[in-house]
């Protein structure tokens, strides 16, 4: 009799766990950079694990896949670098075979990195401010470099072909590295973008 009750309780617990897992949706693996650029990789890993990820809407099973757009890299010396770019944090959930963006934001910034034990790490990130400070800070970052300034302002629009290409590259690498059955990604209210 005890064995029957123990089995019944075990079956009930499994059913509850299965129902909870179904309700939460598919748990996506954490993001890990798989590319070959160590500076880009350090920035991508920083963005994917930064506390800013939690400032945006999250759902059970979500993953944050960064979209760093690097415009210019200055090597201060062999172990210090400054990277000028627009750095997106984007959170996704899997719905069928599509990664759907549920939240995120962009950060025009200058990121400083340091190389220690042959590995690059982000040491600071100076972001453009909000409101009137946004444009003023971008102009200050560009310091008279009109091409760089234009890149910063264009970085706010993920639908621009060059920006979409960076985003697609990062999502495709994530999907392939984790063997996911994902064929596209999409933003709410927009058509899916195929992962070619």
């Amino acid at each position: 009799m005890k064995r029957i009750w123990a089995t019944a309780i075990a079956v009930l617990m499994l059913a509850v766990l299965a129902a909870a897992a179904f309700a939460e949706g598919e748990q996506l693996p954490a993001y890990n950079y798989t590319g070959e650029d160590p500076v880009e990789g350090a920035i991508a890993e920083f963005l994917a694990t930064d506390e800013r990820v939690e400032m945006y809407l999250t759902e059970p099973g979500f993953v944050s896949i960064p979209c760093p757009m690097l415009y210019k890299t200055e090597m201060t010396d062999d172990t210090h670098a400054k990277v000028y770019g627009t750095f997106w944090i984007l959170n996704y959930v899997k719905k069928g075979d599509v990664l759907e963006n549920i939240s995120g934001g962009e950060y025009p910034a200058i990121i400083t990195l340091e190389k220690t034990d042959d590995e690059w790490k982000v040491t600071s990130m100076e972001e453009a401010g909000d409101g009137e400070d946004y444009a003023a800070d971008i102009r200050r970052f560009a310091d008279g470099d009109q091409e760089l300034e234009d890149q910063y302002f264009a970085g706010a629009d993920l639908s621009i072909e060059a920006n979409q290409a960076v985003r697609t590259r990062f999502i495709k690498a994530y999907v392939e590295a984790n063997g996911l059955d994902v064929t596209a990604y999409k933003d709410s209210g927009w058509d899916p973008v195929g992962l070619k």
Side-chain angles (χ1 to χ4, degrees):
M1 187 69 159
K2 285 184 179 180
R3 181 172 282 177
I4 293 173
W5 280 107
T7 304
I9 290 172
V11 168
L12 180 61
M13 287 176 62
L14 285 173
V16 168
L17 289 172
F22 179 76
E24 289 183 3
E26 186 173 338
Q27 178 67 43
L28 290 166
Y31 173 83
N32 285 302
Y33 181 77
T34 57
E36 297 181 12
D37 182 334
V39 170
E40 180 184 70
I43 292 171
E45 292 287 344
F46 168 78
L47 294 172
T49 57
D50 189 68
E51 63 189 18
R52 292 173 184 89
V53 167
E54 299 291 335
M55 290 173 24
Y56 298 105
L57 175 68
T58 63
E59 291 181 11
F62 88 101
V63 64
S64 186
I65 303 174
C67 179
M69 292 177 257
L70 284 54
Y71 307 136
K72 180 171 109 174
T73 301
E74 288 179 352
M75 298 300 297
T76 312
D77 56 38
D78 290 345
T79 59
H80 295 87
K82 277 174 121 175
V83 177
Y84 299 76
T86 300
F87 307 102
W88 281 85
I89 292 173
L90 298 164
N91 295 336
Y92 299 88
V93 292
K94 187 172 181 287
K95 295 189 177 178
D97 65 350
V98 174
L99 286 181
E100 189 166 313
N101 176 243
I102 56 170
S103 65
E106 54 112 11
Y107 298 89
I110 299 173
I111 288 183
T112 305
L113 300 98
E114 183 174 16
K115 189 176 186 180
T116 308
D117 297 328
D118 223 26
E119 188 175 340
W120 287 99
K121 293 282 185 194
V122 172
T123 57
S124 68
M125 179 169 159
E126 182 185 1
E127 306 161 33
D130 295 325
E132 292 177 7
D133 292 335
Y134 180 88
D137 285 341
I138 285 176
R139 288 187 185 93
R140 182 173 54 82
F141 294 165
D143 193 28
D145 182 335
Q146 189 60 51
E147 182 182 353
L148 180 58
E149 185 178 317
D150 293 345
Q151 287 176 304
Y152 268 118
F153 284 116
D157 185 353
L158 285 174
S159 68
I160 293 174
E161 189 175 335
N163 299 343
Q164 189 176 70
V166 173
R167 185 180 185 190
T168 301
R169 176 171 61 90
F170 273 83
I171 294 171
K172 185 176 181 180
Y174 169 78
V175 167
E176 289 175 354
N178 292 287
L180 300 177
D181 61 335
V182 170
T183 60
Y185 66 91
K186 73 180 294 289
D187 294 318
S188 182
W190 292 86
D191 292 332
V193 176
L195 299 174
K196 300 170 191 160

